[in-house]
């Protein structure tokens, strides 16, 4: 009796697994019991295994053909008439002798072994189901609850209790979560590690921003507006190129919303990430001009073969084109696929000196650092104060002071 109770308890445990449907559980149970039957009787072809899906009750029925006494060749498939009459006197040669096999008759050791096999198979099935479920959801938005916080990653549980991992590298720099917080991210990568599904989620992936736009902008969700490309410096700046297939819809206006109503929620979710939404165009010159927003470009020269663009701006627009930490020009390059060089446009009567001309006084790596942030002439450097130069470059204050001294001497 105790063995049968163990079976039912086990069934209740297995059928409560959230990621496995009941028919699958029944199939696994039946296969385990058939394995037990084959070990005991040598075959299961003449045995019916019936599992009640509601309460876990099990019935095993074995059928053998009644043979004349002394003519049975296989006791697993046949039974002699005399033996059959002990159970049912009405049976005749050629009839089916059907008997119920009780679970207890297998013995306690066999039942415990079966239960262990069930545990192993069901756990394996559940892991496979979780892997398949999330593998198909890569790039989709998920919502979970912060369960545990470690130094390099956060453990998040979804609504079914599945474990999701949010690494530090996939968090926005300004992200701060505590246990119990609700968290939104996209499924970034799903792998099997030592037979266990490892689900990595991300808040820095471009797909995360795209899913947020789909939530906030009905026209994108409905397909009236298409997001052509997204590039991000998580927590700092993002650029989103959009296109509308309906001339009556302004894609940029639709994404931003009245007084920024639609984009404000996205900005808050991304910890005040600055989002530039621009109209996509196949006109490369116009596309680059829009990508460098908010800077106003005076002129542009494009080298299609080498995928480079020389952009000329008024002195007061250079810093806007480059952006804080060089993010604006870097993202514009990623968005358009062009390597963009920024040049300061000077008045004809105003003379300037290329920064390379000071190579004998300023080390080459320092010149390279200045050019990296768009400061390629002496006056472009002198137009910024010491504090601004320190912030935009990776140079020390003492180095900046020495550079300014050298450049100022040129115009004295």
């Amino acid at each position: 009796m105790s063995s049968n109770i163990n079976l039912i308890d086990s069934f209740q445990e297995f059928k409560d697994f959230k990621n496995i449907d009941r028919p699958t559980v029944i199939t696994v149970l039946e296969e385990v019991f058939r394995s037990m039957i084959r070990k005991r009787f040598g075959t299961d072809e003449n045995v019916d295994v019936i599992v009640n899906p509601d309460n876990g009750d099990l019935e095993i029925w074995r059928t053998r053909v009644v043979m004349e006494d002394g003519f049975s060749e296989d006791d697993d498939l046949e039974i002699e008439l005399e033996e059959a009459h002990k159970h049912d006197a009405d049976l005749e040669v050629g009839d089916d002798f059907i008997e119920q096999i009780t679970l207890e008759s297998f013995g306690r050791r066999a039942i415990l072994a079966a239960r262990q096999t069930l545990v192993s198979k069901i756990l394996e099935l559940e892991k496979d189901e979780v892997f398949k479920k999330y593998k198909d959801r890569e790039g989709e938005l998920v919502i979970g609850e912060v369960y545990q916080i470690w130094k390099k990653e956060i453990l998040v549980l979804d609504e079914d209790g599945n474990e999701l991992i949010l690494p530090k590298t996939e968090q926005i720099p300004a992200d701060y979560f505590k246990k119990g917080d609700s968290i939104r991210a996209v499924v970034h990568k799903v792998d099997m590690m030592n037979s266990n599904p490892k689900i990595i989620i991300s808040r820095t992936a471009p797909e995360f921003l795209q899913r947020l736009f789909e939530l906030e902008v009905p026209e994108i969700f409905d397909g009236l507006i298409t997001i052509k490309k997204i590039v991000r410096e998580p927590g700092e700046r993002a650029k989103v190129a959009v296109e509308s297939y309906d001339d009556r819809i302004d894609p940029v206006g639709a994404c931003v919303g009245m007084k920024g109503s639609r984009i404000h929620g996205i900005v808050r979710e991304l910890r005040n990430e600055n989002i530039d939404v621009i109209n996509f165009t196949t006109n490369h010159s116009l596309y680059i001009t829009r990508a460098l927003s908010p800077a106003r470009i005076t002129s542009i020269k494009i080298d299609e073969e080498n995928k480079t663009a020389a952009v000329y701006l008024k002195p007061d627009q250079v810093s806007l084109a480059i952006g804080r930490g060089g993010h604006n020009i870097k993202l514009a390059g990623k968005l358009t696929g062009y390597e963009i060089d920024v040049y300061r446009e000077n008045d004809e009567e105003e003379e300037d000196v290329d920064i390379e001309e000071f190579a004998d006084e300023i080390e080459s790596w320092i010149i390279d650092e200045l050019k990296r942030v768009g400061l390629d002439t002496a006056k472009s450097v002198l137009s910024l104060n010491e504090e601004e130069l320190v912030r935009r470059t990776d140079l020390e204050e003492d180095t900046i002071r020495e550079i300014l001294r050298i450049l100022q001497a040129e115009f004295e």
Side-chain angles (χ1 to χ4, degrees), residues 37-100:
I37 292 165
R38 287 193 294 270
K39 287 180 180 179
R40 180 175 174 185
F41 299 114
T43 181
D44 66 335
E45 63 184 62
N46 61 330
V47 176
D48 291 319
V49 178
I50 303 170
V51 180
N52 187 319
D54 296 320
N55 57 24
D57 283 347
L58 170 73
E59 292 182 6
I60 302 174
W61 296 92
R62 182 187 184 205
T63 302
R64 288 184 289 174
V65 178
V66 178
M67 304 292 290
E68 289 186 18
D69 293 339
F71 282 86
S72 176
E73 296 179 355
D74 187 344
D75 290 340
D76 291 327
L77 299 175
E78 300 166 344
I79 184 171
E80 294 185 354
L81 186 61
E82 182 181 355
E83 181 66 24
H85 279 169
K86 293 178 181 178
H87 302 278
D88 188 346
D90 295 331
L91 288 173
E92 298 178 1
V93 173
D95 288 346
D96 286 337
F97 173 76
I98 302 173
E99 63 178 328
Q100 184 174 8

Side-chain angles (χ1 to χ4, degrees), residues 188-354:
H188 184 55
K189 189 178 181 183
V190 183
D191 289 317
M192 270 292 194
M193 303 285 289
N194 299 321
S195 299
N196 291 309
K198 185 173 183 180
I199 304 158
I200 303 296
I201 57 176
S202 173
R203 287 172 53 80
T204 62
E207 292 83 4
F208 181 51
L209 179 51
Q210 180 167 343
R211 298 294 169 256
L212 294 177
F213 265 105
E214 290 171 356
L215 286 177
E216 297 290 340
V217 185
E219 292 86 347
I220 293 178
F221 183 81
D222 294 337
L224 298 174
I225 296 175
T226 299
I227 295 177
K228 302 296 287 186
K229 192 172 184 179
I230 294 177
V231 290
R232 293 179 65 192
E233 285 290 329
E236 293 288 344
R237 198 180 197 105
K239 289 186 181 288
V240 183
V242 294
E243 184 178 32
S244 172
Y245 296 113
D246 188 334
D247 293 338
R248 296 169 298 177
I249 298 177
D250 169 22
V252 175
C255 290
V256 174
M258 289 288 291
K259 297 182 180 180
S261 59
R262 290 178 171 178
I263 207 167
H264 279 165
I266 300 174
V267 170
R268 283 195 300 270
E269 179 70 42
L270 300 183
R271 310 303 190 206
N272 295 321
E273 191 170 305
N274 193 335
I275 303 174
D276 298 327
V277 183
I278 66 171
N279 249 322
F280 175 81
T281 176
T282 54
N283 182 325
H284 296 161
S285 178
L286 179 58
Y287 194 31
I288 293 171
T289 300
R290 290 173 177 173
L292 282 171
S293 172
R296 296 189 302 275
I297 294 172
T298 303
S299 61
I300 183 171
K301 294 178 182 177
I302 294 179
D303 182 344
E304 293 285 1
E305 185 178 345
N306 296 310
K307 286 288 184 179
T308 61
V311 176
Y312 297 87
L313 310 96
K314 294 291 185 183
D316 63 339
Q317 296 298 305
V318 172
S319 60
L320 286 175
I322 295 168
R324 187 174 67 179
H327 293 314
N328 197 54
I329 192 169
K330 181 180 179 181
L331 290 177
K334 287 182 177 179
L335 188 72
T336 61
Y338 282 80
E339 184 179 334
I340 303 173
D341 293 317
V342 172
Y343 295 95
R344 185 181 300 269
E345 191 176 68
N346 298 299
D347 296 332
E348 290 184 5
E349 67 275 9
E350 182 184 10
E351 64 176 40
D352 202 348
V353 181
D354 193 295

